[in-house]
Amino acid sequence: MSILKIKDVVIGEGVPKIIVPIIGKTKEDIIQEANIVKELAPDVVEWRVDMYEDVENLTAITFLIEKLRKIFVDELLLFTFRSHKEGGNKEISDAYYVELNQTAIRTKNIDLIDVELFNEEQNVKTLVDAAKENGVFIIMSNHDFLKTPSKEEIISRLCKMQEYGAHIPKIAVMPRGVEDVITLLDATNTMKTKYADRPLITMSMAAPGVISRFTGELFGSAFTFGAGKEASAPGQISVKELRTLLHLFHKSMQ
C-alpha cells in the first residue's frame, strides 16, 4: 500500500489521520462550528454539505467553501454530500449531485471530494475527471447502514474504487455482531496486503465497531473520523478520546 501526501499530511503510514465533520444547518452554525473544530487540530475537516439548509444554492455553497478555506488554511478540506440512500440528510437528483460536486471542485478551495461509488458510472467518471483536472483528491465511498457485506464483497467494492481512479477508497458498514466487525477488519487487512496500491479508509459503525476506529494502523485504515461538536455517524467518539486511543495503540506497536 503506497503513501499519499497532500500538502503536509502524509497518508498511509503511522497513526491514522483524524477527520472531523462539520454538520451545521445554517451559515452561522457552520462558521461557528468551524471555529470550534479548528481548536481540535484535526488533519482533515469534512464539510457535510448535505446537512446545510441551503444546499441547493450554489452561490451560497461557493461562499461557504471560501469562508471555510480561510479558517482551515493548513488543514485539508473535504467536501462531502452524503446521499440519502447512504445515510445523508437530503435527497437530490443525480444531475444536481454532479453539478454540486463540480461546483465545489472548480473553486479549487477544497483538497478532497467525496464521490459515492454507487452512482451512474458516467457520473462517477465525470466527477473523477473534474477532480483530477483541478488538482482535487478523490475519496470514493460506500456506506451500508443495514449490514456488513461479506469479506469478498467489501474487497470487491474497494477494488472497484481503485479502478475508477479514487485516490482513497472508503467503505463504512454496520455490524450486527462481533463477527461482522471481524469481517470488516479481516477484509481491510487483506485489501492492504494483497490488493491496495493506495491508502484506504474502512470502518465498522455503531458501538460494536468502535475498535475499528482506532486500530487502523494495524489493519490498514489510513483515516478515522472523530466527533467535533456532534457525531456525524453512529459510533464516532470525541476527537480528544480518539487521539488518546490512537497514540496509545501506536505506542504499543513500537
Side-chain angles (χ1 to χ4, degrees):
M1 189 170 72
S2 63
I3 292 167
L4 178 65
K5 186 174 182 181
I6 307 176
K7 291 184 176 177
D8 292 328
V9 181
V10 179
I11 302 156
E13 68 175 10
V15 177
K17 304 304 181 287
I18 296 175
I19 301 174
V20 178
I22 291 174
I23 58 173
K25 292 181 172 62
T26 68
K27 176 180 71 175
E28 293 75 21
D29 289 343
I30 290 163
I31 292 172
Q32 179 189 51
E33 189 177 351
N35 285 302
I36 292 170
V37 168
K38 176 77 174 178
E39 296 300 313
L40 299 174
D43 300 293
V44 183
V45 179
E46 178 186 43
W47 182 22
R48 277 286 304 273
V49 71
D50 57 289
M51 308 297 286
Y52 178 37
E53 65 180 12
D54 211 9
V55 68
E56 294 182 83
N57 182 336
L58 293 175
T59 301
I61 295 292
T62 301
F63 171 82
L64 271 172
I65 289 174
E66 185 177 342
K67 285 288 186 183
L68 292 172
R69 182 80 283 171
K70 288 178 179 177
I71 295 169
F72 300 108
V73 176
D74 299 318
E75 300 85 354
L76 302 186
L77 184 57
L78 164 62
F79 183 90
T80 299
F81 181 92
R82 181 65 58 237
S83 71
H84 194 261
K85 67 180 182 290
E86 297 213 10
N89 190 57
K90 188 175 178 64
E91 199 162 358
I92 59 174
S93 68
D94 289 350
Y96 186 68
Y97 178 84
V98 173
E99 185 180 11
L100 172 65
N101 282 290
Q102 283 181 321
T103 297
I105 289 165
R106 288 169 181 161
T107 67
K108 299 188 179 182
N109 274 324
I110 61 171
D111 303 293
L112 298 131
I113 189 94
D114 182 290
V115 177
E116 292 179 350
L117 171 66
F118 289 124
N119 280 299
E120 291 291 333
E121 184 173 359
Q122 186 54 54
N123 290 342
V124 173
K125 290 180 177 178
T126 295
L127 291 175
V128 168
D129 289 345
K132 291 185 176 180
E133 286 168 10
N134 288 276
V136 174
F137 292 82
I138 303 147
I139 296 178
M140 195 167 291
S141 65
N142 171 236
H143 303 76
D144 193 328
F145 280 83
L146 298 177
K147 64 184 184 307
T148 297
S150 68
K151 174 184 175 179
E152 293 73 23
E153 179 61 21
I154 291 171
I155 291 171
S156 174
R157 292 179 191 180
L158 292 169
C159 286
K160 184 66 174 177
M161 295 172 194
Q162 288 194 152
E163 291 170 19
Y164 271 130
H167 296 97
I168 306 166
K170 174 194 173 188
I171 193 165
V173 297
M174 184 64 72
R176 293 176 176 171
V178 174
E179 64 278 3
D180 283 345
V181 180
I182 294 170
T183 295
L184 181 279
L185 294 173
D186 186 23
T188 305
N189 181 63
T190 300
M191 185 71 191
K192 175 188 74 170
T193 55
K194 294 187 176 181
Y195 303 105
D197 57 3
R198 63 204 72 187
L200 60 138
I201 306 171
T202 68
M203 70 199 72
S204 183
M205 295 183 281
V210 166
I211 189 172
S212 71
R213 294 184 179 275
F214 63 88
T215 54
E217 187 172 359
L218 175 62
F219 291 100
S221 183
F223 283 101
T224 186
F225 286 74
K229 188 176 179 183
E230 295 179 49
S232 65
Q236 277 182 13
I237 57 180
S238 75
V239 173
K240 183 179 179 181
E241 291 174 322
L242 179 60
R243 187 170 279 124
T244 298
L245 288 169
L246 288 170
H247 285 283
L248 282 171
F249 197 81
H250 175 75
K251 187 177 179 181
S252 73
M253 291 180 64
Q254 303 308 302

